[in-house]
Amino acid sequence: MGHSAAMSADLLEAAAAAVADARRIVVLTGAGISTDSGIPDFRGPNGLWTKNPAAEKASKLEHYLSDPEVRAVAWQNRLHTPAWTAEPNDGHRAIVELETQGRLHALVTQNIDGLHQKAGTDPDRVIEVHGTVWWTRCWECDDRRAMAETLDRVRAGEVDPPCVVCGGILKSDTISFGQALVPEVIDRALSVSEECDVLLAVGSTLSVFPAANCVPRAKAAGAQVVIVNGDSTAMDRYADWLLLGQIADILPALVTS
Ligand SMILES: [Zn+2]
């Protein structure tokens, strides 16, 4: 790949200067920021679904809702979700630093692993467009509670624990394939993007919509766009600064200068 080698120190310095001048920063993160924490992406060579096709089937809403066996497999997989033990890395901590400096307007994330909150980002500033594995939601009554409660029931022998309020089907509070995004959450992600002076997109291929629309929305509203990723993204043309390389190296250098 050699992107890190290709990126000049001058480019990083210039981008860092642009970030240093910004007073309201919106950060948009994707899977790439969490791979250094051992959270696998979904479709890469070591991806969750590549190694475990049953997990992909469970991720499709219609299968999950219609087939108790799919749910039983899903609950067993949830016992071993990497997010339970993963630790935030320097990339997550760099975003906390922006908040400490009083310049983080909002953090929009496509990740469901909760690592930003674990790193110390104010949960009120985190907009989880694809939901979170740390909570369950009842498909019938919308009751939302900590995932840990239900995992205890699975460990105690329930193969497909129903909602304690109404008996409905429980699911992790994530957006499955075939499931609509939450309109209020997406609206909030897009409007904060229009309120920033720098949009910093990190570890996302920027190819999943509508989250990726944060980039053109910010740009159209006059923000500068900084993209940090391991590889090219679908939105490179919007970037004022395109920094391709190791996220956990680039991001700290970008925010502390
Ligand atoms: Zn319920």
Side-chain angles (χ1 to χ4, degrees):
M1 305 243 301
H3 285 310
S4 300
M7 190 182 65
S8 73
D10 286 353
L11 177 61
L12 181 57
E13 241 176 72
V19 171
D21 282 344
R23 283 173 301 123
R24 286 157 76 84
I25 299 173
V26 167
V27 182
L28 166 65
T29 64
I33 197 171
S34 289
T35 48
D36 281 337
S37 293
I39 304 279
D41 64 5
F42 289 105
R43 296 196 185 277
N46 293 311
L48 199 59
W49 293 340
T50 314
K51 293 199 287 193
N52 185 358
E56 178 168 14
K57 193 177 179 193
S59 76
K60 291 186 177 126
L61 184 65
E62 51 168 314
H63 293 137
Y64 188 86
L65 294 178
S66 64
D67 187 345
E69 286 183 26
V70 168
R71 294 198 293 277
V73 169
W75 283 112
Q76 286 304 309
N77 286 336
R78 283 175 190 136
L79 289 176
H80 310 291
T81 296
W84 306 153
T85 50
E87 292 298 331
N89 62 58
D90 287 344
H92 298 100
R93 283 187 284 272
I95 298 170
V96 176
E97 172 61 23
L98 282 180
E99 185 176 356
T100 306
Q101 297 167 0
R103 303 190 297 136
L104 181 70
H105 184 45
L107 200 180
V108 180
T109 185
Q110 299 169 286
N111 299 338
I112 57 177
D113 54 38
L115 283 178
H116 288 300
Q117 294 91 328
K118 211 174 191 177
T121 298
D122 177 357
D124 289 343
R125 288 188 193 274
V126 182
I127 303 170
E128 296 173 304
V129 290
H130 295 158
T132 173
V133 294
W134 289 89
W135 294 82
T136 57
R137 190 181 287 273
C138 172
W139 192 250
E140 303 296 328
C141 77
D142 245 19
D143 181 63
R144 190 173 184 262
R145 61 186 62 221
M147 172 64 78
E149 277 184 42
T150 309
L151 290 185
D152 284 345
R153 295 168 61 194
V154 175
R155 281 189 204 93
E158 290 186 60
V159 289
D160 178 22
C163 173
V164 292
V165 177
C166 78
I169 292 172
L170 288 187
K171 190 173 110 35
S172 71
D173 191 16
T174 53
I175 305 294
S176 300
F177 280 80
Q179 182 175 351
L181 300 177
V182 181
E184 296 77 19
V185 176
I186 282 298
D187 287 350
R188 189 179 163 212
L190 294 173
S191 36
V192 294
S193 299
E194 291 173 336
E195 295 163 356
C196 64
D197 40 27
V198 162
L199 183 113
L200 177 55
V202 183
S204 171
T205 59
L206 300 175
S207 57
V208 177
F209 292 89
N213 275 334
C214 290
V215 175
R217 287 286 190 104
K219 187 78 176 179
Q224 288 196 292
V225 172
V226 181
I227 294 179
V228 180
N229 198 39
D231 228 321
S232 293
T233 79
M235 296 275 173
D236 288 358
R237 65 188 180 281
Y238 292 103
D240 295 281
W241 313 98
L242 179 61
L243 308 173
L244 300 180
Q246 198 69 34
I247 293 167
D249 294 338
I250 297 173
L251 211 48
L254 199 55
V255 309
T256 54
S257 305

